[in-house]
Amino acid sequence: MSSAFAVEKPLELIDVFDLEYANQIEFSDDGKLVYFVRNRMDIKTDKKVSNIWSVDVKSKQLQPVTSGVHIDYAPVLSPQGDRLAFVSTRDGSSQIYVKWLNTGAVAKISNLTQSPRNLTWTPDGKQIVFSQFVSASAKTPVSVSGKPKGADWAKPPVFIDDVYYRADGAGYTKAGFTHLFSIDANGGNAQQLTSGEFNHGGRVSFSHDGKTLYFSANRHAEHKLKPTNTEVYALDMKSLQVKAITDRFGPDRSPTISPNGRFLAYLGYDDKRTNYENADIYVLDLQNDETRVLTQELDRSVSHIQWDAQSRGLYYSYDSQGQTVVAHQPLKGRAKVITQKVGSVSFGRPYSGGDFDVSAKGDVAFTLADTQRPADVGLIQRGKTERLTQLNEDALGNKALGKVEEIWVKSKHDQLDIQGWVVYPPNFDSSKKYPLVLEIHGGPVANYGPHFSAEAQLFAAKGNVVLYMNPRGSDSYGKAFAQTIHHNYPSHDFDDLMTGVDALLAKGFIDEQRLFVTGGSGGGVLTAWIVGHTDRFAAAVVAKPVINWFSFVLTADFYPFFTDYWFPGKPWDHTEHYMKRSPISYVGNVKTPTMLLTGEADYRTPISETEQYYQALKLQGVDTAMVRIPDASHGITARPSNLMNKVAYIQWWFDKHGSN
């Protein structure tokens, strides 16, 4: 009774450590138990901690499967349903563990030197296949002699001649490739299944008899400079011979054998070197070698395919208008939408996404979230949706959160329909005037939606109205919408965003003198573009941006892709095009106080981009500051305190420049 009258408190930065979310759903075939990874934030180590839990579908009883202050993840049930394989860092490195569900016994079955990924049981449950990085000898073409015993010489030079030599989140890479391995499910030494100077990873699938393993890889001669051109391959488990199943220019991935063994489904598209293409479901009939596309009528990009138990069709997910949908496509007939409520597991900002799994009976377990709560475990049974967990009631049940409202506007550039969402401060009063924070998503081909966002809610708790939108170039609205920025970014996405700001100003509760703008990655690009094209904002925070496309494609980690797909050619052949789209070209127009915020270990949008803009703004006499996040990669908020600092610094900059 007392809780009904409890005083709700505003969300505070420190509350980030109280948040939890569910992901990596694994549903038992009998539909009785849902296994999932329960993620929480550990305030002592400032890191995410994950354990595996189960929830009983009938009683909603939660039960821990693993425990401890470490990371347990990637749960995979054995084909017989009696064991659960997973990866854990409990002994200080990522290793494969198996839990016998009938007895509760747990055993570490591997002793690997690198982290295992993509665990898959063989059909007989006797082995587990996984991918693992295999290091090669470092290249040292020069070796000098003459060092006296005990002498303290400088570290030797590091020789690099690989196309990919550093990766965001991993740093400077070591020589080697990712390969497939198998290991006895009762423990033993892992056996390498693939070879060659190619990377093998991602989802794999076995033939009915376990004799053939299907996987995707890029084993072409030009695999380094054409990184998206993957094929589906078949590996003979006895001879280890590899045979290509697909052969076209484009990414073919996620091979999945039907339960009856007749069909091979996979995802892919014809690569046309555009900034975006829809991934479709392809089905190969292994009896007659005929392939057909199942989803060509769906103008959305498909992911997470899973066969139904009868081999009559596939479940899959896709993003549509900022929400993630689960649907079923039969081999013959029309698709059926199962749910549009799949909840994001990106609780910092409101990106779409999520996870689901289907029981043999056709019940669907999935991540269920909304604007007021991070992801729980949800269930769809006989068409009815229910929430099986309440992971955040203790953290958010007494918090006054901002209401989130959907809006649509017609872009002032060409009347294109643009979707967005408004987060109102708690206790919002439309008769008052509020500051506005325009928060822009990255990508640039990505999408926000009606999902929980700790960052947006924290800004709202400080009295801001927050606007986030999906301007042209966002996905989840079809191929044509996403391709409007092909070789054309930034451009009229600026007009889309300004139309949204004008629409809120017209409502009468926004203080026109306190307009603020921020965004990260692609959103950082657009924020820098905005202050180079208008002075209407009182302050801006540009997070992990690209400022100069010329220097970006020559310093970013995935540069062959950026050069080939985002631009008409190499920068020295198209200098005018590169610079026309670069915010640095418009720095002479900037008058808006602009702060920059980037991780020092960011190799996706290297901090040198931030430093260029900072120094350019200083030369222009613009009020600016640079916030450098030590040890942080492109995913700045991977550690909870960095999320807190990011929001705190942005709010401080807006407060500093927002006083009337």
Side-chain angles (χ1 to χ4, degrees):
M1 189 68 133
S2 59
S3 62
F5 300 97
V7 177
E8 291 186 329
K9 301 175 182 178
L11 193 67
E12 298 178 359
L13 292 171
I14 196 65
D15 294 331
V16 168
F17 279 104
D18 295 332
L19 299 177
E20 298 185 57
Y21 66 94
N23 68 350
Q24 299 181 40
I25 304 292
E26 181 78 352
F27 205 174
S28 63
D29 273 350
D30 61 14
K32 294 180 179 179
L33 286 174
V34 180
Y35 296 89
F36 66 97
V37 175
R38 185 174 181 174
N39 304 274
R40 65 178 179 85
M41 314 300 148
D42 183 58
I43 198 168
K44 293 181 180 179
T45 60
D46 189 23
K47 293 180 179 179
K48 182 180 73 174
V49 174
S50 305
N51 297 124
I52 299 167
W53 284 64
S54 68
V55 58
D56 186 285
V57 166
K58 191 173 183 180
S59 68
K60 299 185 181 179
Q61 177 64 50
L62 280 167
Q63 186 171 338
V65 179
T66 68
S67 61
V69 185
H70 45 253
I71 301 176
D72 300 321
Y73 61 101
V76 187
L77 281 166
S78 66
Q80 296 74 27
D82 59 342
R83 289 159 294 164
L84 187 78
F86 60 95
V87 181
S88 177
T89 62
R90 62 185 63 192
D91 76 345
S93 64
S94 294
Q95 300 293 337
I96 303 172
Y97 288 75
V98 170
K99 178 157 185 170
W100 280 257
L101 298 174
N102 294 331
T103 66
V106 178
K108 183 176 79 167
I109 67 165
S110 72
N111 189 25
L112 307 172
T113 57
Q114 303 288 338
S115 299
R117 298 176 182 272
N118 305 305
L119 307 187
T120 304
W121 291 85
T122 55
D124 60 10
K126 293 181 178 180
Q127 291 185 309
I128 296 170
V129 169
F130 62 95
S131 59
Q132 179 191 215
F133 180 76
V134 179
S135 60
S137 299
K139 300 175 183 177
T140 53
V142 172
S143 179
V144 297
S145 59
K147 179 181 177 181
K149 185 178 181 180
D152 186 15
W153 284 21
K155 291 181 179 180
V158 176
F159 176 76
I160 296 172
D161 67 352
D162 292 319
V163 173
Y164 301 101
Y165 62 95
R166 62 183 184 181
D168 186 65
Y172 282 81
T173 56
K174 297 178 181 179
F177 294 90
T178 299
H179 287 288
L180 298 177
F181 289 78
S182 66
I183 191 170
D184 192 292
N186 291 319
N189 295 316
Q191 306 297 314
Q192 187 169 330
L193 302 176
T194 58
S195 59
E197 295 186 348
F198 310 105
N199 287 313
H200 305 76
R203 180 174 182 172
V204 302
S205 185
F206 276 98
S207 62
H208 233 217
D209 56 14
K211 294 180 179 180
T212 305
L213 177 68
Y214 295 91
F215 66 92
S216 65
N218 186 341
R219 294 169 59 92
H220 299 286
E222 291 190 334
H223 66 96
K224 292 182 179 179
L225 292 176
K226 304 294 180 184
T228 65
N229 190 23
T230 57
E231 309 291 353
V232 173
Y233 294 90
L235 171 75
D236 185 295
M237 290 293 287
K238 187 174 183 179
S239 68
L240 302 186
Q241 293 297 306
V242 173
K243 174 187 175 183
I245 301 299
T246 61
D247 181 20
R248 64 156 167 194
F249 185 66
D252 294 322
R253 57 181 176 84
S254 302
T256 310
I257 290 288
S258 60
N260 65 8
R262 177 175 173 177
F263 301 105
L264 173 68
Y266 58 94
L267 296 174
Y269 59 81
D270 293 322
D271 192 331
K272 300 174 183 176
R273 289 184 60 192
T274 60
N275 73 309
Y276 175 87
E277 293 289 338
N278 286 327
D280 281 309
I281 300 176
Y282 290 76
V283 174
L284 169 64
D285 189 329
L286 296 172
Q287 289 185 2
N288 58 26
D289 238 17
E290 292 182 358
T291 301
R292 58 196 181 99
V293 187
L294 284 190
T295 52
Q296 56 188 354
E297 300 302 318
L298 175 68
D299 187 17
R300 299 290 187 269
S301 193
V302 173
S303 61
H304 297 101
I305 55 175
Q306 179 178 343
W307 283 96
D308 59 35
Q310 295 77 31
S311 301
R312 293 175 182 167
L314 293 109
Y315 294 92
Y316 58 98
S317 64
Y318 59 90
D319 289 349
S320 186
Q321 297 187 353
Q323 293 184 292
T324 301
V325 178
V326 173
H328 179 266
Q329 173 65 59
L331 293 177
K332 296 180 180 179
R334 299 177 61 85
K336 177 185 177 182
V337 171
I338 307 299
T339 181
Q340 297 177 328
K341 297 181 179 179
V342 178
S344 171
V345 295
S346 174
F347 73 92
R349 292 189 283 165
Y351 284 108
S352 296
D355 194 18
F356 76 94
D357 195 17
V358 186
S359 73
K361 299 189 301 180
D363 298 337
V364 179
F366 65 104
T367 52
L368 174 62
D370 53 39
T371 62
Q372 304 297 295
R373 294 291 184 273
D376 276 302
V377 179
L379 175 73
I380 299 174
Q381 198 172 46
R382 294 183 292 276
K384 179 185 176 184
T385 301
E386 60 178 328
R387 189 182 298 264
L388 298 182
T389 64
Q390 302 275 353
L391 299 181
N392 287 283
E393 287 312 299
D394 55 344
L396 298 175
N398 67 339
K399 297 294 181 182
L401 297 178
K403 174 188 172 185
V404 180
E405 181 179 87
E406 178 186 21
I407 64 166
W408 285 86
V409 298
K410 289 188 176 295
S411 176
K412 60 183 179 181
H413 169 65
D414 57 4
Q415 298 299 297
L416 188 64
D417 288 326
I418 304 295
Q419 189 180 24
W421 290 265
V422 182
V423 187
Y424 294 95
N427 304 313
F428 172 77
D429 183 346
S430 61
S431 67
K432 297 180 179 179
K433 295 282 188 178
Y434 293 88
L436 174 67
V437 174
L438 172 63
E439 208 283 333
I440 309 170
H441 73 65
V445 181
N447 68 86
Y448 278 162
H451 312 296
F452 182 83
S453 167
E455 294 184 32
Q457 288 290 345
L458 285 165
F459 287 132
K462 289 295 185 180
N464 301 288
V465 171
V466 182
L467 171 64
Y468 60 87
M469 305 177 69
N470 286 333
R472 68 190 65 210
S474 303
D475 58 7
S476 81
Y477 302 91
K479 183 163 70 172
F481 191 92
Q483 288 185 352
T484 52
I485 62 168
H486 178 61
H487 296 174
N488 189 35
Y489 168 74
S491 59
H492 298 298
D493 34 11
F494 166 78
D495 299 306
D496 303 341
L497 295 165
M498 294 306 100
T499 302
V501 172
D502 291 339
L504 282 194
L505 283 171
K507 293 179 181 293
F509 52 74
I510 299 298
D511 184 347
E512 194 166 359
Q513 303 304 311
R514 290 189 293 166
L515 303 180
F516 305 110
V517 59
T518 187
S521 193
V525 176
L526 279 167
T527 303
W529 184 269
I530 285 169
V531 297
H533 288 77
T534 180
D535 299 334
R536 71 187 306 186
F537 292 92
V541 177
V542 176
K544 50 187 182 184
V546 175
I547 296 301
N548 181 337
W549 289 114
F550 199 118
S551 59
F552 165 74
V553 300
L554 300 181
T555 55
D557 56 352
F558 208 41
Y559 62 101
F561 174 82
F562 297 133
T563 309
D564 264 1
Y565 291 83
W566 287 9
F567 292 94
K570 297 178 179 67
W572 44 87
D573 295 327
H574 300 273
T575 302
E576 183 179 354
H577 179 96
Y578 274 73
M579 298 315 296
K580 183 180 180 181
R581 300 297 171 202
S582 295
I584 195 70
S585 298
Y586 307 96
V587 71
N589 301 332
V590 179
K591 295 181 175 61
T592 307
T594 302
M595 184 170 76
L596 296 115
L597 187 150
T598 303
E600 290 188 328
D602 191 331
Y603 294 131
R604 181 59 45 80
T605 55
I607 199 166
S608 56
E609 293 293 306
T610 290
E611 291 165 339
Q612 284 185 63
Y613 205 53
Y614 174 76
Q615 293 183 195
L617 291 170
K618 283 292 187 185
L619 290 174
Q620 279 297 110
V622 177
D623 189 355
T624 187
M626 176 167 49
V627 180
R628 304 169 67 99
I629 311 297
D631 304 319
S633 62
H634 197 61
I636 290 175
T637 60
R639 303 191 72 172
S641 69
N642 281 343
L643 189 154
M644 296 167 62
N645 274 311
K646 177 188 175 186
V647 172
Y649 267 101
I650 293 172
Q651 187 63 59
W652 169 78
W653 188 255
F654 292 165
D655 288 343
K656 177 182 177 182
H657 297 283
S659 55
N660 292 324

